[in-house]
Amino acid sequence: MARVLVVDDEANIRKVLAALLRKEGHEALTAENGEEGLELALAEADDIDAIVTDLKMPKLDGLSLLREIQRKAREIPVIVITAHGTVDTAVDAMKAGAFDYLQKPFDQDDLRLVIDKAICSRALARDEISPADSPDGALGVLAASPSMAKIVQIIERVAATPSTVLITGESGTGKEVVASALHEQSDRREKPFIRINCAAIPRELMEAELFGHEKGAFTGAVASKPGRFELADGGTLFLDEIAEIPPEMQVKILRAIQESEFERVGGVKTLQVDVRLIAATNRDIEAEIAAGRFREDLYYRLNVVPLDLPPLRGRRDDIPFLVRSFVERFNERLGLEVSGVDDAAMDLLQRYPWPGNIRELENVMERTFLFLDGDTIGPADLPDSIRARAEGAPRDGQPDLEALRQVFDSGGSASMKDIVRAASQDLERDLIVSALEATGHNVTQAARRLKISRKSLQLKMKDLGLRDRDESTA
């Protein structure tokens, strides 16, 4: 069940939409104007999965509401519905960040499909980092750790270029934040920044979503509609989870990138656009190519500027900055005056491996705020699972099997799975160190010796803290 906010000044439309949502098993919230909708959206931001809004409303119109949502809670997908103006008005809304649009009178099946896509997109977005304040304030990414400082340097160097960028990394490492930083630091910053989560789009609708469609192109295409490439003209198109795009669509994307042209579904006119493309994935693209699920030529076209974001466990120096950012955020949101995290609690936060990366850290901080009695967060205020696992890890981030066993034997929350994982990681580290020493620290030869790809070896070295000790890229 999802929670959907309906904003419309027509009572009948609100009733119809609310009834349709409830019929689908969702919870419907309603507001009769833009001001009321904005207040409700911001108050319930964490729990709202989508917003459906009219464009023409008193007090605050739908486009202004959309812009405020984009500024203060942009992770919430906004669907606009209008019976006024022209298609150009709806296109303006899409360029301002709307998830999709429909025209009145709308088809209930079309509306249901769009809402389902928005809800799916919101669910996928919850796995990603929400933008946080940073030490430099401008890029929106943290650069305290050496690995992230290198990422920032690359962003500053390539942001103003039209080159495509491929961002890789685990879920929650900040891929969308980096994409936003690339756009904001470019000369395209005043133009649209169009995001699309490829995993949220059904395969059969992928082409129409990316390239648009003409009226009558397929059942339900009651009007012509621009695609994301068209909407991003002059700006930046961010294709998140690009590995989810089916192979038959990848060749069309390759052509759009290379030739800067395409046709709408059902159309014969070739459209030309000027789009800077940024793609992201949490998958091993080389493995996807080997399995025949991703085109090698598209990979090379995307991978002009590769940005590999390290997991949070590989950039522990960033944790204090993130924590301070979250303290400020939750103080403001919850009306509290928490001074911060004491040294002992910060030590535990830095020793915990954070499998969910920054999103997990954000959730832990929010949960800690909700149950905090004092004005400073100490070790006892952290969740039991965080304390138990962090106490089983040594301060340098390397696995300590004996400590894990002690926690396990004492009845703590460290499970057999934790101990086995730590043992496996320890063995993996020993094998990699041995291979590097045997090959004179030549990464390519070490990868061959271990029978894994060079890229996989580099990722493992980062995860295990071996990259800083061996910067060889031979």
Side-chain angles (χ1 to χ4, degrees):
M1 183 180 73
R3 300 185 81 204
V4 180
L5 172 61
V6 176
V7 188
D8 199 301
D9 59 329
E10 295 184 37
N12 288 337
I13 295 295
R14 294 199 303 273
K15 290 179 181 178
V16 168
L17 289 173
L20 176 63
L21 289 165
R22 293 181 183 117
K23 183 179 178 181
E24 294 297 311
H26 304 311
E27 179 183 353
L29 306 176
T30 61
E32 63 183 24
N33 58 62
E35 282 188 359
E36 183 181 333
L38 179 61
E39 182 179 352
L40 187 54
L42 297 182
E44 303 282 343
D46 291 338
D47 297 320
I48 290 179
D49 297 285
I51 297 173
V52 181
T53 181
D54 191 15
L55 278 181
K56 297 292 184 178
M57 295 184 295
K59 295 187 178 181
L60 186 72
D61 63 32
L63 197 56
S64 298
L65 170 63
L66 168 64
R67 287 172 176 149
E68 285 298 304
I69 295 296
Q70 282 290 296
R71 191 167 66 89
K72 298 178 180 178
R74 69 176 186 175
E75 68 275 8
I76 305 176
V78 179
I79 302 163
V80 297
I81 300 179
T82 182
H84 304 273
T86 65
V87 173
D88 291 339
T89 306
V91 170
D92 288 341
M94 294 290 285
K95 289 184 176 181
F99 180 82
D100 212 330
Y101 75 89
L102 291 169
Q103 290 179 296
K104 297 176 185 176
F106 54 81
D107 182 88
Q108 290 192 4
D109 289 336
D110 289 344
L111 179 63
R112 187 181 297 109
L113 179 61
V114 170
I115 289 176
D116 286 346
K117 286 194 301 181
I119 291 170
C120 181
S121 176
R122 173 69 159 134
L124 291 166
R126 293 183 195 277
D127 292 332
E128 293 296 326
I129 173 181
S130 57
D133 295 334
S134 65
D136 57 23
L139 291 175
V141 291
L142 293 167
S145 62
S147 57
M148 285 307 296
K150 292 177 182 178
I151 296 292
V152 171
Q153 289 174 2
I154 295 173
I155 291 172
E156 292 173 338
R157 181 176 290 269
V158 306
T161 73
S163 301
T164 56
V165 179
L166 179 61
I167 308 171
T168 57
E170 298 177 6
S171 292
T173 50
K175 295 187 287 294
E176 183 174 343
V177 174
V178 170
S180 296
L182 283 163
H183 176 73
E184 292 300 325
Q185 294 297 304
S186 74
D187 55 6
R188 298 170 181 259
R189 67 179 68 87
E190 301 300 327
K191 298 294 185 177
F193 177 52
I194 303 296
R195 311 170 185 83
I196 181 170
N197 191 315
C198 301
I201 308 300
R203 294 170 67 97
E204 63 273 14
L205 297 178
M206 184 69 72
E207 185 175 4
E209 287 290 335
L210 290 174
F211 303 117
H213 62 77
E214 297 293 352
K215 180 179 179 180
F218 49 82
T219 302
V222 296
S224 297
K225 184 175 181 180
R228 305 305 169 101
F229 270 89
E230 199 170 341
L231 292 169
D233 189 22
T236 304
L237 177 62
F238 175 46
L239 297 180
D240 198 7
E241 301 303 343
I242 195 168
E244 303 297 330
I245 294 179
E248 61 270 20
M249 274 301 305
Q250 293 173 19
V251 65
K252 297 181 179 181
I253 292 176
L254 179 61
R255 180 208 169 195
I257 298 172
Q258 290 179 329
E259 308 296 334
S260 297
E261 62 181 32
F262 58 90
E263 292 80 36
R264 289 180 177 178
V265 176
V268 294
K269 180 181 178 181
T270 298
L271 303 174
Q272 292 191 327
V273 293
D274 172 22
V275 172
R276 200 271 181 86
L277 188 70
I278 302 173
T281 181
N282 58 14
R283 293 199 183 186
D284 183 340
I285 291 290
E286 291 184 1
E288 295 296 302
I289 293 172
R293 292 188 292 266
F294 201 86
R295 293 180 62 95
E296 190 171 16
D297 50 1
L298 177 57
Y299 168 66
Y300 290 129
R301 189 63 187 84
L302 293 172
N303 201 41
V304 176
V305 180
L307 284 177
D308 184 29
L309 301 189
L312 188 54
R313 60 185 174 275
R315 40 189 278 216
R316 298 177 190 272
D317 290 344
D318 289 336
I319 291 177
F321 293 97
L322 282 163
V323 168
R324 283 197 288 272
S325 171
F326 292 141
V327 167
E328 293 177 5
R329 179 184 305 180
F330 294 128
N331 271 335
E332 181 179 356
R333 181 183 297 177
L334 302 175
L336 300 176
E337 295 183 359
V338 176
S339 60
V341 177
D342 69 22
D343 292 342
M346 185 65 76
D347 179 63
L348 292 176
L349 291 174
Q350 289 188 280
R351 289 163 61 188
Y352 180 75
W354 300 110
N357 292 299
I358 302 174
R359 172 60 69 185
E360 184 184 8
L361 173 59
E362 182 180 13
N363 290 342
V364 166
M365 290 300 297
E366 183 172 9
R367 186 163 67 246
T368 301
F369 261 68
L370 292 173
F371 294 98
L372 184 65
D373 291 325
D375 59 2
T376 302
I377 297 173
D381 299 309
L382 299 175
D384 292 342
S385 58
I386 301 295
R387 293 203 313 273
R389 193 164 178 186
E391 288 166 355
R395 297 179 186 278
D396 63 359
Q398 306 301 318
D400 186 339
L401 301 184
E402 184 57 37
L404 277 173
R405 290 192 186 97
Q406 290 176 4
V407 174
F408 180 77
D409 292 340
S410 66
S413 60
S415 65
M416 181 179 72
K417 187 176 180 180
D418 293 327
I419 297 172
V420 171
R421 185 185 296 111
S424 175
Q425 190 179 53
D426 202 25
L427 176 60
E428 193 172 62
R429 180 182 294 102
D430 288 344
L431 290 172
I432 291 174
V433 169
S434 297
L436 288 170
E437 291 177 349
T439 58
H441 294 267
N442 185 299
V443 176
T444 300
Q445 292 181 16
R448 290 174 184 160
R449 188 183 186 92
L450 294 166
K451 294 181 173 60
I452 61 176
S453 71
R454 185 175 183 274
K455 180 71 169 179
S456 295
L457 176 56
Q458 289 176 319
L459 290 174
K460 290 180 182 296
M461 289 170 65
K462 282 186 178 181
D463 289 347
L464 297 171
L466 299 174
R467 192 68 180 271
D468 293 337
R469 291 157 47 183
D470 190 325
E471 290 296 332
S472 172
T473 54

